[in-house]
Amino acid sequence: MVTWTDFERATIQDIFSKIDYDVVGSAALSRCLIVYPWTQRYFGSFGNLYNAAAISSNPRVAAHGRVVLGGLEKALQNMDDIKQAFADLSVLHSEKLQVDPDNFKLLADCLTIVVASQLGKSFTPEVHAAFAKFLAVVVAALRKQYH
Amino acid sequence: MSLTAKDKEVVKAFWAKMSPKADDVGADALSRMLAVYPQTKTYFSHWKDLSPGSAPVKKHGKTVMGGVADAVSKIDDLTAGLLDLSELHAFTLRVDPANFKILSHNILVVLATVYPEDFTPEVHVALDKFLGALSRALSEKYR
């Protein structure tokens, strides 16, 4: 059972209210595909991923980044039981998409870096810690149904 | 995942740009590491104050970035260049090498906050590889 302090709840809500979902989703996913190129294995149907420029301007990557942010928003709306809210998503990722769950951490790290660059100085260590906890809970929920 | 000539160029160029702020980056990265990954505090029980931006944290951030600067200058042979530091971490400090990854990540997060325009995906991958290679060189003498 995850418990959230008032500070953590407020901070996470605040971060999501400040970021542009299209921009952050697209930037985080493309950064992941560029920095950890083996993650491209899951996107064989996305067309041109040959170099950083191609990845950053690929419309399917951008669209999928938005889908990922939609998932995070679902977690935000269900903060007191993300595990339950993500049960189906976890089954999807393990059984249908067959994504190695270690990749979730890679994308989470890229999301952290993109949000950090958006928020700059206001992404203090305390804010960073709250966001990192949120992402850790999301990642754990996504891993839950893997057997 | 060894460093290509291009990686080394990118790392050296970015280091030149950021070296004036290296001490601040080090202090911020260390502050974040202690706040976001509290298990890392176990290595610093001898410090009076572990809060973000405290005096011991600032001082140690400077020490760490001094090590990184040294590594940049020895980028063509990190293993040989960092042998003494590796012995220090292996036999005296005995830091679990998993923590090198954690600190590396926090350094990158700080760079993203301070240089949002310059810390492009291309710079990010080169630096991530460099910090990984640095960490491996630091782990060299462990066993």
Side-chain angles (χ1 to χ4, degrees):
Chain A
M1 253 307 296
V2 184
T3 50
W4 303 97
T5 64
D6 291 339
F7 172 79
E8 285 165 347
R9 267 182 218 275
T11 299
I12 294 159
Q13 296 282 354
D14 189 53
I15 291 172
F16 277 87
S17 72
K18 286 194 169 114
I19 60 176
D20 178 326
Y21 288 17
D22 289 320
V23 168
V24 167
S26 166
L29 186 59
S30 26
R31 199 168 275 255
C32 189
L33 296 171
I34 293 165
V35 177
Y36 309 108
W38 52 95
T39 56
Q40 291 169 25
R41 74 189 305 283
Y42 300 108
F43 301 100
S45 64
F46 273 29
N48 187 357
L49 298 178
Y50 299 135
N51 53 44
I55 292 170
S56 303
S57 58
N58 185 314
R60 295 197 59 185
V61 171
H64 197 67
R66 184 68 182 78
V67 167
V68 170
L69 256 289
L72 287 180
E73 196 181 25
K74 183 171 182 179
L76 183 71
Q77 288 156 1
N78 291 279
M79 268 179 81
D80 289 308
D81 199 351
I82 295 175
K83 209 186 316 182
Q84 177 53 38
F86 269 38
D88 289 344
L89 266 175
S90 180
V91 170
L92 174 77
H93 282 76
S94 78
E95 315 225 324
K96 180 152 182 277
L97 304 175
Q98 302 200 319
V99 177
D100 178 344
D102 288 348
N103 290 292
F104 302 148
K105 184 175 189 309
L106 301 180
L107 182 54
D109 284 351
C110 287
L111 261 159
T112 304
I113 280 173
V114 169
V115 167
S117 67
Q118 294 271 306
L119 300 182
K121 270 189 137 62
S122 67
F123 195 66
T124 62
E126 294 81 9
V127 168
H128 179 176
F131 192 60
K133 180 174 168 178
F134 176 73
L135 289 180
V137 172
V138 167
V139 166
L142 269 175
R143 294 186 80 118
K144 195 76 189 147
Q145 303 299 327
Y146 276 74
H147 304 293
Chain B
M1 295 199 266
S2 49
L3 298 171
T4 63
K6 180 89 206 297
D7 290 329
K8 294 180 192 178
E9 248 178 65
V10 171
V11 168
K12 286 190 219 178
F14 193 80
W15 182 261
K17 187 174 291 183
M18 66 161 276
S19 55
K21 290 200 175 149
D23 292 347
D24 291 333
V25 168
D28 193 347
L30 211 55
S31 299
R32 263 167 218 282
M33 184 186 80
L34 297 166
V36 181
Y37 303 91
Q39 70 270 23
T40 57
K41 293 195 284 191
T42 57
Y43 291 98
F44 303 103
S45 51
H46 55 288
W47 286 356
K48 282 200 177 68
D49 185 358
L50 286 166
S51 56
S54 72
V57 169
K58 274 199 170 122
K59 179 162 181 273
H60 199 63
K62 194 172 173 181
T63 305
V64 168
M65 292 313 268
V68 175
D70 191 34
V72 174
S73 72
K74 295 173 175 165
I75 202 168
D76 290 317
D77 193 347
L78 287 168
T79 311
L82 299 180
L83 264 178
D84 288 344
L85 269 176
S86 182
E87 284 188 2
L88 175 73
H89 285 76
F91 303 127
T92 309
L93 303 176
R94 289 189 281 207
V95 176
D96 188 318
N99 293 292
F100 300 151
K101 237 187 192 184
I102 295 176
L103 182 54
S104 298
H105 170 68
N106 283 293
I107 291 172
L108 296 177
V109 171
V110 173
L111 294 177
T113 63
V114 179
Y115 301 99
E117 303 296 326
D118 296 308
F119 191 64
T120 60
E122 292 92 325
V123 169
H124 179 169
V125 62
L127 281 172
D128 194 35
K129 286 175 76 176
F130 168 66
L131 291 173
L134 207 176
S135 303
R136 276 194 302 281
L138 227 46
S139 313
E140 180 69 20
K141 298 302 252 176
Y142 271 66
R143 55 177 178 176

